[in-house]
Amino acid sequence: MPSDYIPALKYHFLTPLYDGFIRLTMPEQKVKTRLIRQAGIQKGETLLDFGCGTATLMLLAEELHPDCTIFGLDIDSQILAVATKKVTLKNSSIQLKEFDGTTIPFPDGTFDKVLSSWVFHHLTTAQKNNAFREIYRVLKPGGELHIADWGKAENILMRFLFFVVQLADNFYTTNDNIKGKIPHLLEKEGFQTIEWKGNQSTLFGTLAFLKAVKSKFG
């Protein structure tokens, strides 16, 4: 496991508190349900949650689409342990894998859809580039990436709120998000038909929804 990744709440000792913190401070169910609806998931599709965290998104996707095959991937073994407990308690068929920070451990063209929520603001520009390149590789031709993550502030209040987040977190991984650079980075790695799918104001700033499509010709 790489040592330079940022845990979900920045520090490992806070990981056990993650679900409770998000439940109290963020409209998590609403955001993740919206992302799943945005993906337009079809019967029998194979899905990947990139940066799956504690498995909340995957379990919701499985509840809404029980006929799909769902995998979760995360770099943090500690948070994957929490996810494993939740998946086991639900008697779920979701499969979890650990990411080495470089190569997604699946063959080319495995997934119909990749979903990701609140992940890419933790990554440097180089790490984002590598992640998007790998996601592009494991998507089937015509496959889709759907993202919910911090984006360009809708107004001064949202910018101030996210500035506070940056002070507590960092600037070097979040600047790409707040400057609206994610579509450019996706395009650089080959994605086509990149669309903003709307924003949502939160206690910590503007959350942006994005869709990116891999070429049907691979």
Side-chain angles (χ1 to χ4, degrees):
M1 180 196 303
S3 60
D4 61 345
Y5 75 94
I6 300 172
L9 289 179
K10 193 172 183 179
Y11 302 105
H12 285 294
F13 74 89
L14 293 175
T15 296
L17 305 176
Y18 180 79
D19 276 340
F21 175 80
I22 294 297
R23 194 178 303 115
L24 288 172
T25 61
M26 299 296 295
E28 182 182 31
Q29 290 291 319
K30 182 177 179 181
V31 166
K32 293 185 176 181
T33 300
R34 176 175 175 175
L35 187 64
I36 292 165
R37 300 293 188 200
Q38 174 185 303
I41 296 166
Q42 302 298 308
K43 184 176 181 179
E45 287 190 325
T46 302
L47 314 175
L48 175 66
D49 182 0
F50 180 84
C52 63
T54 63
T56 301
L57 174 63
M58 291 181 294
L59 288 167
L60 184 56
E62 185 178 57
E63 183 180 324
L64 295 171
H65 301 281
D67 49 13
C68 288
T69 302
I70 304 175
F71 293 87
L73 185 71
D74 207 287
I75 199 169
D76 186 341
S77 59
Q78 189 173 338
I79 210 163
L80 277 176
V82 177
T84 299
K85 289 179 182 178
K86 290 169 69 174
V87 166
T88 302
L89 282 172
K90 290 284 188 178
N91 197 27
S92 168
S93 62
I94 291 167
Q95 300 176 59
L96 301 170
K97 288 186 177 288
E98 189 169 342
F99 181 41
D100 66 5
T102 302
T103 303
I104 294 178
F106 293 96
D108 296 2
T110 299
F111 299 101
D112 297 285
K113 308 275 171 61
V114 175
L115 284 69
S116 185
S117 57
W118 282 301
V119 172
F120 294 107
H121 71 281
H122 286 301
L123 308 184
T124 65
T125 301
Q127 289 169 335
K128 288 184 184 77
N129 287 338
N130 181 76
F132 292 148
R133 190 180 311 122
E134 277 293 290
I135 289 170
Y136 188 91
R137 178 184 66 78
V138 299
L139 277 170
K140 296 176 182 179
E144 299 172 1
L145 168 62
H146 293 268
I147 298 171
D149 207 339
W150 304 118
K152 205 167 186 177
E154 291 182 283
N155 51 52
I156 293 173
L157 174 60
M158 290 296 104
R159 183 65 189 96
F160 171 75
L161 291 172
F162 194 66
F163 180 74
V164 174
V165 171
Q166 289 182 295
L167 286 175
D169 197 345
N170 67 72
F171 288 87
Y172 69 93
T173 65
T174 55
N175 277 336
D176 288 332
N177 294 67
I178 200 65
K179 292 179 179 178
K181 291 184 176 181
I182 301 302
H184 171 72
L185 299 179
L186 288 163
E187 185 177 19
K188 180 181 175 183
E189 300 306 332
F191 282 95
Q192 300 179 338
T193 322
I194 299 162
E195 305 174 52
W196 291 111
K197 304 299 285 186
N199 294 328
Q200 185 167 332
S201 296
T202 75
L203 287 173
F204 297 121
T206 298
L207 191 68
F209 292 81
L210 198 64
K211 173 184 176 181
V213 182
K214 179 174 178 175
S215 168
K216 291 184 178 180
F217 304 102

